[in-house]
Amino acid sequence: MKKFFAEFKKFITRGNVLDMSVGVIVGGAFTAIVNGMSNFILKPIINWVLMLILGKDSLSEVFTFLDRVDMVDETGKIVPDLEKSIYIDWGAFINAIINFILIALVLFIIVRAINRMKDSGEESKKGKLTKEQKKELKAAGIKRRNKAAVKAYFDEKARLEAEAKAKADAEAAEADRLAREANPTAEDLLKKIVVLLENK
């Protein structure tokens, strides 16, 4: 039983499970926002435009009947019996398109905002100095506000480090060459023999 609960705890605290949970909750909240925008803002505008064009007062009344069966409603008017009629429900289709466009738009805005925040965070990290760098500048008597002096200091430091590395590499290569000359390998000896034979 302890093993079962230990495995369950490990599963429930995994990063991707928590991320997925947050995604589902936030997705549900955004679905409510999108539905509210669609039902209470855009659909009334579309219904008004349709009323001007088609004379219908709602997307729910935009049908193309393939087989229409009429009935008399409470007011005595002849209206289509939707349960017995065969029809194409253009209103529901238009509603689905509106919802899809809204969801895609909201997701695009969210992803764009997150990417911009991420990019600006990376840029600010690039420009920030570490504690060691701040100490170096203070010891060198350079103020951090003087960007040109800070850049010149770190450029000179990088140049000196590159020169020191090149010098150390050259010294290591020379030491390696001297060590090989002092203790030649079989390959080195064969090369010397070949050179001597060619010179004869």
Side-chain angles (χ1 to χ4, degrees):
M1 199 67 170
K2 279 186 178 179
K3 188 178 178 184
F4 172 80
F5 283 113
E7 286 179 10
F8 178 69
K9 182 182 176 186
K10 187 178 177 183
F11 168 78
I12 207 84
T13 55
R14 282 166 61 187
N16 54 359
V17 173
L18 296 173
D19 292 344
M20 187 177 67
S21 304
V22 170
V24 169
I25 293 165
V26 171
F30 277 114
T31 301
I33 291 169
V34 168
N35 286 339
M37 186 182 288
S38 176
N39 292 330
F40 306 125
I41 297 173
L42 290 179
K43 284 181 190 171
I45 294 169
I46 292 169
N47 287 340
W48 176 71
V49 171
L50 287 173
M51 184 183 70
L52 294 176
I53 297 169
L54 304 172
K56 308 279 186 186
D57 64 350
S58 172
L59 278 175
S60 60
E61 296 182 14
V62 181
F63 302 119
T64 299
F65 286 96
L66 304 174
D67 183 22
R68 180 173 173 156
V69 177
D70 290 331
M71 68 175 196
V72 179
D73 67 359
E74 301 86 25
T75 60
K77 288 173 73 177
I78 296 174
V79 293
D81 185 356
L82 296 179
E83 290 181 7
K84 296 177 181 174
S85 300
I86 299 171
Y87 58 91
I88 298 172
D89 191 348
W90 296 107
F93 180 66
I94 292 167
N95 282 339
I97 291 172
I98 292 167
N99 285 338
F100 170 77
I101 290 170
L102 283 173
I103 290 168
L105 179 67
V106 169
L107 284 174
F108 170 73
I109 291 168
I110 292 166
V111 169
R112 189 167 179 249
I114 289 170
N115 285 341
R116 284 196 173 182
M117 285 169 44
K118 189 177 174 185
D119 292 344
S120 65
E122 286 174 1
E123 284 174 13
S124 65
K125 279 182 185 175
K126 284 178 187 175
K128 282 189 177 178
L129 298 171
T130 62
K131 286 182 180 179
E132 290 78 17
Q133 290 172 330
K134 289 176 184 176
K135 285 179 184 176
E136 283 180 41
L137 290 173
K138 190 174 182 182
I142 298 170
K143 294 187 177 178
R144 285 183 278 163
R145 284 176 280 169
N146 188 346
K147 302 287 183 190
V150 169
K151 186 177 183 311
Y153 174 80
F154 286 113
D155 287 348
E156 180 63 17
K157 182 182 174 187
R159 187 185 67 76
L160 292 173
E161 285 175 354
E163 283 180 3
K165 185 178 183 304
K167 187 178 178 183
D169 290 345
E171 287 174 357
E174 181 63 20
D176 187 46
R177 187 185 67 77
L178 293 172
R180 284 188 78 168
E181 282 182 5
N183 298 310
T185 62
E187 186 181 343
D188 294 334
L189 292 172
L190 286 171
K191 284 180 184 175
K192 283 182 180 178
I193 292 168
V194 168
V195 170
L196 289 171
L197 290 172
E198 285 175 352
N199 290 335
K200 279 189 177 183

